[in-house]
Amino acid sequence: MVSQNVIEVRKRIAEAAYKSNRNPEDITLIGVTKTVSVLQIQELMQAGVTHLGENRVQDFVPKYAALEASNPTWHFIGHLQRNKTKQVVGKASLIHSIDSLDLAREIDKRAKQANRTANILVEINVANEPTKHGIPAESAKEFSKYIFELPNVRFCGLMCVAPFVENSEKNRSYFAKMRDLLRKNIFEKSVDNEKIMPYTHAPFTAGSELSMGMSNDFLIAIEEGATMVRIGTALVGKRM
């Protein structure tokens, strides 16, 4: 079942990519592992999903340990508290959910201690939903300037969690807003050329990643420029 779901999702990713004149290989499929067992994760990996995304630190740490020998690429995609950054930095290849300067500074400190560079995305509350994390879109440009100054943090782009809607077309404007925010307001105007040059040791392109789109709306997200989609239900079915 999981392997067939992976085939179907990749087919849909390719269709959305071709529809928007993009290369499907430029879009990273992240299998969301929230409430997913290690056995199911292994099924995902056997089906070719090697990028995994976890929401909770208390679940991420044991799953990381259990699967370390298989060497997946881990993404931390949930809200991260400052007092738990030590458990994530050095293990997650990309942290998607930077939503405060205090958190960014803490990650910078932990990365320095580990003699690493932490790859991060800035989370945008693109629909200004009071129940969701992320910074307002209008603050993104100024916020990112501070991120660029942190020596052990590498700005890779933006992330959002769009509203849950029955009709995914309703989220198109939010995804387009994210694309324009990165390309026009941040990437072109705020990042100097030296800082945005891709680092050859990293699997992500500095300054140009857009993590947006989930099982219910990832096709629209891809059409509007997503480089990473975070898929759970469409791969492993509904979870508790």
Side-chain angles (χ1 to χ4, degrees), residues 131-195:
T131 59
K132 286 184 178 175
H133 297 285
I135 65 169
E138 56 269 22
S139 302
K141 183 177 179 180
E142 192 66 27
F143 183 89
S144 298
K145 287 181 180 178
Y146 290 102
I147 299 295
F148 304 149
E149 295 173 359
L150 297 173
N152 303 285
V153 168
R154 180 168 174 261
F155 173 82
C156 291
L158 303 177
M159 174 267 213
C160 78
V161 179
F164 182 82
V165 292
E166 293 295 331
N167 180 2
S168 59
E169 277 290 342
K170 291 183 178 180
N171 281 339
R172 186 180 291 277
S173 63
Y174 295 124
F175 295 141
K177 184 177 182 178
M178 289 288 293
R179 178 197 64 224
D180 292 343
L181 183 65
L182 182 67
R183 294 181 183 176
K184 296 180 180 179
N185 294 335
I186 296 176
F187 187 78
E188 292 180 2
K189 297 180 181 179
S190 299
V191 191
D192 61 74
N193 289 332
E194 182 180 356
K195 196 74 172 181

Side-chain angles (χ1 to χ4, degrees), residues 2 26 39 66-67 109 134 144 169 179 185 197 217 223 229:
V2 169
D26 293 337
L39 183 60
L67 296 164
K109 182 179 79 172
S144 298
E169 277 290 342
R179 178 197 64 224
N185 294 335
M197 288 298 290
D217 56 14
E223 290 176 16
V229 291

Side-chain angles (χ1 to χ4, degrees), residues 29-45 49-64 67 72-78 229-233 235-237 239-240:
L29 170 60
I30 301 172
V32 177
T33 64
K34 180 181 178 181
T35 74
V36 176
S37 69
V38 170
L39 183 60
Q40 287 177 299
I41 296 172
Q42 288 173 328
E43 288 184 66
L44 275 175
M45 295 184 68
V49 179
T50 58
H51 286 256
L52 307 174
E54 182 54 61
N55 296 67
R56 302 167 179 169
V57 174
Q58 63 267 35
D59 296 328
F60 168 69
V61 173
K63 288 175 182 178
Y64 175 89
L67 296 164
T73 299
W74 279 104
H75 300 246
F76 190 82
I77 61 177
V229 291
R230 310 180 305 272
I231 310 297
T233 301
L235 294 176
V236 297
R239 293 154 293 169
M240 298 296 292

Side-chain angles (χ1 to χ4, degrees), residues 78-140:
H79 180 62
L80 181 59
Q81 296 174 313
R82 286 175 58 201
N83 63 353
K84 296 183 178 180
T85 57
K86 185 177 180 180
Q87 297 171 275
V88 174
V89 172
K91 295 183 176 69
S93 295
L94 183 63
I95 302 173
H96 289 227
S97 46
I98 305 304
D99 60 359
S100 76
L101 290 176
D102 285 343
L103 175 59
R105 293 188 189 105
E106 184 67 21
I107 290 174
D108 180 67
K109 182 179 79 172
R110 295 297 182 184
K112 181 178 181 180
Q113 292 172 349
N115 194 28
R116 292 176 178 267
T117 299
N119 294 308
I120 63 99
L121 302 179
V122 172
E123 182 174 4
I124 306 297
N125 188 342
V126 69
N128 293 320
E129 295 179 276
T131 59
K132 286 184 178 175
H133 297 285
I135 65 169
E138 56 269 22
S139 302

